[in-house]
Amino acid sequence: MKKVLITGAAGFLGSHLSDRFIKEGFFVIGMDNYITGDSKNIKHLLNHPNFMFIEHDVTEFIKIEGELDYILHFASPASPIDYLKIPIQTLKVGSLGTHNLLGLAKAKNARILIASTSEVYGDPLVHPQTEDYYGNVNTIGPRGVYDEAKRFQESITMAYHRFHGLETRIVRIFNTYGPRMRLNDGRVIPAFMGQALRGEDLTVFGNGAQTRSFCYVDDQVEGIYNLLFSDYSYPVNIGNPHEITIKDFAEEIIKLTGTNQKIIYKELPTDDPLQRQPDITLAKKLLNWTPKVDRAEGMEKTFSYFKQLSAEELTKSEH
Ligand code: NAD
């Protein structure tokens, strides 16, 4: 049985990846320090014979007994609310954490896939973003801690590939959503759904003309799975190119949740990108992958997940 180490396993994407790899017949070692994750996300796996959990901070030395075939490095705060609160840990997990995991991959002769992000493109001057665009990041802005950690992560991964011949994969993930996101993680989908469920007005930052494109988690996991088993070492965008303005999206949520809240407008945060849309030509060609779940279906599934959260969790998510 092939063994895969998934860091960030108690988080949103890491827990879905753990489910997928177990379903495909792998033995999964999940690792997490719970800094932004939740043990609830992997509760269903804890007694599974093909799952083992290690509570550990990946910025500290990592020891794994026996053989290891694959590593998926997904540990990192991912939402602005988290990485603005814990900026140093964010820089450390992208740099020291990635270095530790590359060292582990080298020692075990394992293939490693690292989770990068569309944020490496910053506030893009090219639209939609192709993998050969170098990006427009403000290194010293508050969001720089995340963006630059991820850019460093890509550089050190390519250095291990070129210098040590390590088998590496880099996925540039664009906004992904679905069940197990945290209601209070500050990202627009849980924020809108939480507000709708609490009967509050929906907050739009700026005039709402900024665009986003949202990828359903099952599509994202499928793309990552295909990339791991491809033979391509350069970054690949995985996301859903279907773009929408935040204002239109807020209106969609109001319709979906069957509420009659209003939209209220607040000031746009610093360095918030105005446009974000993946060019997925490469993923389509290389991985024979394309997103399948449309926004209406994905939002419906996500809203059902949030709806069954207890009233207590809903109140906790106010901020
Ligand atoms: P998440 O916060 O739900 O999960 C991240 C997990 O990593 C958490 O469980 C957290 O406790 C763990 N973690 C953080 N620092 C750690 C450390 N030092 N040691 C061990 N565990 C640690 O976030 P997510 O949305 O699941 O994101 C997962 C990965 O995907 C991240 O690397 C993120 O940058 C990347 N990504 C996600 C998105 C998205 O839309 N969700 C977009 C782009 C990139």
Short mmCIF file of all heavy atoms in Angstrom, two decimals, residues 107-136:
data_model
loop_
_atom_site.label_atom_id
_atom_site.label_comp_id
_atom_site.label_asym_id
_atom_site.label_seq_id
_atom_site.Cartn_x
_atom_site.Cartn_y
_atom_site.Cartn_z
N ALA A 107 15.01 12.61 1.70
CA ALA A 107 15.48 11.47 2.51
C ALA A 107 14.69 10.20 2.18
O ALA A 107 15.23 9.10 2.20
CB ALA A 107 15.34 11.81 3.99
N LYS A 108 13.39 10.36 1.89
CA LYS A 108 12.54 9.18 1.64
C LYS A 108 12.42 8.85 0.16
O LYS A 108 11.70 7.93 -0.21
CB LYS A 108 11.12 9.46 2.17
CG LYS A 108 11.03 9.77 3.65
CD LYS A 108 11.17 8.51 4.47
CE LYS A 108 10.93 8.80 5.94
NZ LYS A 108 11.21 7.64 6.79
N ASN A 109 13.04 9.69 -0.68
CA ASN A 109 12.90 9.52 -2.12
C ASN A 109 11.41 9.56 -2.53
O ASN A 109 10.94 8.74 -3.33
CB ASN A 109 13.55 8.20 -2.55
CG ASN A 109 13.92 8.22 -4.01
OD1 ASN A 109 13.95 9.29 -4.63
ND2 ASN A 109 14.16 7.05 -4.58
N ALA A 110 10.69 10.49 -1.93
CA ALA A 110 9.25 10.63 -2.18
C ALA A 110 8.99 11.77 -3.16
O ALA A 110 9.79 12.70 -3.27
CB ALA A 110 8.53 10.90 -0.86
N ARG A 111 7.88 11.70 -3.85
CA ARG A 111 7.45 12.82 -4.71
C ARG A 111 6.67 13.81 -3.84
O ARG A 111 5.84 13.40 -3.04
CB ARG A 111 6.57 12.29 -5.83
CG ARG A 111 6.08 13.37 -6.77
CD ARG A 111 5.20 12.81 -7.85
NE ARG A 111 5.92 11.86 -8.70
CZ ARG A 111 5.37 11.20 -9.72
NH1 ARG A 111 4.10 11.40 -10.03
NH2 ARG A 111 6.07 10.34 -10.44
N ILE A 112 6.93 15.11 -4.01
CA ILE A 112 6.24 16.11 -3.18
C ILE A 112 5.46 17.09 -4.03
O ILE A 112 5.96 17.56 -5.06
CB ILE A 112 7.24 16.83 -2.24
CG1 ILE A 112 6.53 17.85 -1.34
CG2 ILE A 112 8.39 17.47 -3.00
CD1 ILE A 112 7.37 18.37 -0.18
N LEU A 113 4.23 17.36 -3.60
CA LEU A 113 3.40 18.39 -4.25
C LEU A 113 3.17 19.48 -3.23
O LEU A 113 2.78 19.20 -2.09
CB LEU A 113 2.07 17.80 -4.70
CG LEU A 113 1.09 18.75 -5.40
CD1 LEU A 113 0.28 18.00 -6.46
CD2 LEU A 113 0.11 19.42 -4.44
N ILE A 114 3.44 20.73 -3.60
CA ILE A 114 3.20 21.82 -2.66
C ILE A 114 2.03 22.69 -3.11
O ILE A 114 1.81 22.89 -4.30
CB ILE A 114 4.47 22.67 -2.41
CG1 ILE A 114 4.91 23.34 -3.70
CG2 ILE A 114 5.60 21.86 -1.80
CD1 ILE A 114 5.27 24.74 -3.50
N ALA A 115 1.30 23.18 -2.09
CA ALA A 115 0.13 24.01 -2.37
C ALA A 115 0.56 25.46 -2.47
O ALA A 115 0.87 26.11 -1.48
CB ALA A 115 -0.89 23.86 -1.24
N SER A 116 0.62 25.97 -3.69
CA SER A 116 0.84 27.40 -3.88
C SER A 116 -0.52 28.06 -4.12
O SER A 116 -1.56 27.44 -3.87
CB SER A 116 1.81 27.64 -5.03
OG SER A 116 2.10 29.02 -5.12
N THR A 117 -0.52 29.25 -4.59
CA THR A 117 -1.77 30.02 -4.62
C THR A 117 -1.80 31.03 -5.76
O THR A 117 -0.74 31.49 -6.22
CB THR A 117 -1.93 30.76 -3.28
OG1 THR A 117 -3.00 31.70 -3.39
CG2 THR A 117 -0.69 31.53 -2.89
N SER A 118 -2.99 31.42 -6.14
CA SER A 118 -3.16 32.51 -7.11
C SER A 118 -2.61 33.82 -6.54
O SER A 118 -2.36 34.76 -7.29
CB SER A 118 -4.63 32.68 -7.42
OG SER A 118 -5.36 32.89 -6.23
N GLU A 119 -2.42 33.88 -5.21
CA GLU A 119 -1.88 35.11 -4.60
C GLU A 119 -0.45 35.39 -5.05
O GLU A 119 0.04 36.50 -4.85
CB GLU A 119 -1.94 35.05 -3.06
CG GLU A 119 -3.32 34.84 -2.47
CD GLU A 119 -4.23 36.06 -2.52
OE1 GLU A 119 -3.71 37.17 -2.69
OE2 GLU A 119 -5.45 35.88 -2.44
N VAL A 120 0.24 34.41 -5.63
CA VAL A 120 1.58 34.70 -6.15
C VAL A 120 1.48 35.71 -7.31
O VAL A 120 2.46 36.36 -7.64
CB VAL A 120 2.38 33.45 -6.62
CG1 VAL A 120 2.63 32.48 -5.47
CG2 VAL A 120 1.71 32.76 -7.80
N TYR A 121 0.30 35.85 -7.91
CA TYR A 121 0.10 36.85 -8.97
C TYR A 121 -0.21 38.23 -8.39
O TYR A 121 -0.28 39.21 -9.13
CB TYR A 121 -1.03 36.42 -9.91
CG TYR A 121 -0.80 35.08 -10.58
CD1 TYR A 121 -1.71 34.04 -10.44
CD2 TYR A 121 0.33 34.86 -11.37
CE1 TYR A 121 -1.51 32.81 -11.07
CE2 TYR A 121 0.53 33.63 -11.99
CZ TYR A 121 -0.38 32.61 -11.83
OH TYR A 121 -0.18 31.41 -12.44
N GLY A 122 -0.45 38.31 -7.07
CA GLY A 122 -0.74 39.59 -6.41
C GLY A 122 -1.98 40.24 -6.99
O GLY A 122 -2.98 39.58 -7.26
N ASP A 123 -1.89 41.56 -7.18
CA ASP A 123 -2.97 42.29 -7.85
C ASP A 123 -2.60 42.29 -9.33
O ASP A 123 -1.85 43.14 -9.80
CB ASP A 123 -3.06 43.72 -7.28
CG ASP A 123 -4.35 44.40 -7.73
OD1 ASP A 123 -5.13 43.78 -8.48
OD2 ASP A 123 -4.56 45.55 -7.33
N PRO A 124 -3.09 41.31 -10.10
CA PRO A 124 -2.51 41.03 -11.42
C PRO A 124 -2.76 42.12 -12.45
O PRO A 124 -3.83 42.71 -12.51
CB PRO A 124 -3.19 39.72 -11.82
CG PRO A 124 -4.38 39.58 -10.97
CD PRO A 124 -4.20 40.42 -9.75
N LEU A 125 -1.74 42.34 -13.27
CA LEU A 125 -1.85 43.30 -14.37
C LEU A 125 -2.18 42.56 -15.67
O LEU A 125 -2.31 43.17 -16.72
CB LEU A 125 -0.55 44.09 -14.51
CG LEU A 125 -0.08 44.79 -13.22
CD1 LEU A 125 1.28 45.46 -13.41
CD2 LEU A 125 -1.12 45.82 -12.77
N VAL A 126 -2.24 41.26 -15.59
CA VAL A 126 -2.55 40.42 -16.74
C VAL A 126 -3.82 39.65 -16.41
O VAL A 126 -3.96 39.15 -15.29
CB VAL A 126 -1.38 39.44 -17.00
CG1 VAL A 126 -1.79 38.31 -17.91
CG2 VAL A 126 -0.18 40.17 -17.54
N HIS A 127 -4.71 39.54 -17.35
CA HIS A 127 -6.00 38.93 -17.05
C HIS A 127 -6.52 38.11 -18.21
O HIS A 127 -6.50 38.60 -19.33
CB HIS A 127 -6.99 40.07 -16.73
CG HIS A 127 -8.19 39.58 -16.02
ND1 HIS A 127 -8.17 39.15 -14.72
CD2 HIS A 127 -9.45 39.43 -16.45
CE1 HIS A 127 -9.38 38.77 -14.37
NE2 HIS A 127 -10.18 38.93 -15.39
N PRO A 128 -6.93 36.88 -18.07
CA PRO A 128 -6.78 36.05 -16.88
C PRO A 128 -5.32 35.67 -16.66
O PRO A 128 -4.49 35.89 -17.54
CB PRO A 128 -7.63 34.81 -17.21
CG PRO A 128 -7.63 34.74 -18.70
CD PRO A 128 -7.53 36.14 -19.20
N GLN A 129 -5.01 35.08 -15.52
CA GLN A 129 -3.61 34.81 -15.19
C GLN A 129 -3.15 33.46 -15.74
O GLN A 129 -3.75 32.43 -15.46
CB GLN A 129 -3.40 34.82 -13.67
CG GLN A 129 -3.60 36.20 -13.04
CD GLN A 129 -5.07 36.51 -12.76
OE1 GLN A 129 -5.74 35.72 -12.12
NE2 GLN A 129 -5.54 37.64 -13.24
N THR A 130 -2.08 33.54 -16.55
CA THR A 130 -1.46 32.31 -17.04
C THR A 130 -0.23 32.04 -16.16
O THR A 130 0.29 32.95 -15.52
CB THR A 130 -0.98 32.48 -18.49
OG1 THR A 130 -0.36 33.75 -18.60
CG2 THR A 130 -2.12 32.37 -19.47
N GLU A 131 0.23 30.80 -16.17
CA GLU A 131 1.33 30.41 -15.29
C GLU A 131 2.62 31.18 -15.57
O GLU A 131 3.48 31.29 -14.69
CB GLU A 131 1.61 28.90 -15.41
CG GLU A 131 0.56 28.01 -14.77
CD GLU A 131 -0.64 27.72 -15.66
OE1 GLU A 131 -0.77 28.36 -16.73
OE2 GLU A 131 -1.45 26.85 -15.28
N ASP A 132 2.77 31.72 -16.79
CA ASP A 132 4.03 32.42 -17.08
C ASP A 132 4.00 33.90 -16.66
O ASP A 132 4.95 34.63 -16.88
CB ASP A 132 4.42 32.27 -18.57
CG ASP A 132 3.31 32.78 -19.49
OD1 ASP A 132 2.30 33.32 -18.97
OD2 ASP A 132 3.44 32.62 -20.71
N TYR A 133 2.92 34.34 -16.05
CA TYR A 133 2.86 35.72 -15.53
C TYR A 133 3.60 35.77 -14.19
O TYR A 133 3.36 34.95 -13.31
CB TYR A 133 1.39 36.15 -15.37
CG TYR A 133 1.24 37.51 -14.75
CD1 TYR A 133 1.94 38.61 -15.25
CD2 TYR A 133 0.42 37.71 -13.63
CE1 TYR A 133 1.83 39.85 -14.66
CE2 TYR A 133 0.30 38.96 -13.05
CZ TYR A 133 1.02 40.02 -13.56
OH TYR A 133 0.92 41.26 -12.97
N TYR A 134 4.53 36.75 -14.04
CA TYR A 134 5.37 36.80 -12.84
C TYR A 134 4.69 37.44 -11.63
O TYR A 134 5.19 37.37 -10.52
CB TYR A 134 6.67 37.58 -13.12
CG TYR A 134 7.61 36.90 -14.10
CD1 TYR A 134 8.63 37.62 -14.72
CD2 TYR A 134 7.47 35.55 -14.40
CE1 TYR A 134 9.49 37.01 -15.62
CE2 TYR A 134 8.33 34.92 -15.30
CZ TYR A 134 9.33 35.66 -15.90
OH TYR A 134 10.18 35.06 -16.79
N GLY A 135 3.60 38.14 -11.84
CA GLY A 135 2.86 38.65 -10.69
C GLY A 135 3.16 40.09 -10.33
O GLY A 135 4.10 40.70 -10.83
N ASN A 136 2.33 40.63 -9.46
CA ASN A 136 2.42 42.04 -9.04
C ASN A 136 2.12 42.08 -7.55
O ASN A 136 1.01 42.35 -7.14
CB ASN A 136 1.40 42.85 -9.85
CG ASN A 136 1.37 44.31 -9.44
OD1 ASN A 136 2.40 44.89 -9.12
ND2 ASN A 136 0.17 44.89 -9.43
#
